[in-house]
Amino acid sequence: VLTDEKEYFRALAEYNKVLKSAPYLSEIYYKAALIYAQLKDYKNAVSYIKDYIKTNPDDPDMKKIKKQMINWEILGSEE
């Protein structure tokens, strides 16, 4: 469990390194989206969750994921 902002940014840097060499790893997009949302950077959260949806369109929780994306879009528009 990440506890401070520095750890979030460190994790995001690692995730982005992984995605450069393995952009098909959908779980990394999902985890990055959750971190960006935790940081209240909803624009990036939405971007990463969209990439997750593209790389994992058969996720059985897709309705829930798309609902979360819409919530982040709304929160991002309020900034």
Side-chain angles (χ1 to χ4, degrees):
V1 176
L2 302 176
T3 56
D4 70 29
E5 206 169 280
K6 222 165 41 172
E7 288 182 55
Y8 287 128
F9 288 113
R10 194 168 35 247
L12 288 170
E14 289 300 316
Y15 290 159
N16 283 316
K17 282 183 196 176
V18 171
L19 289 172
K20 284 183 183 180
S21 61
Y24 51 85
L25 293 175
S26 61
E27 189 66 24
I28 303 298
Y29 291 110
Y30 184 76
K31 289 179 179 183
L34 294 177
I35 290 174
Y36 278 116
Q38 186 69 30
L39 294 169
K40 298 185 182 352
D41 182 347
Y42 299 111
K43 182 179 178 182
N44 276 315
V46 168
S47 176
Y48 276 82
I49 206 69
K50 284 181 178 180
D51 288 335
Y52 173 77
I53 290 168
K54 287 180 203 168
T55 58
N56 193 14
D58 298 324
D59 186 310
D61 292 324
M62 191 56 70
K63 280 185 178 182
K64 178 181 160 189
I65 290 165
K66 287 184 176 179
K67 184 177 178 181
Q68 184 62 62
M69 181 184 72
I70 291 167
N71 287 336
W72 291 340
E73 287 174 329
I74 292 166
L75 290 167
S77 70
E78 294 174 354
E79 295 178 337

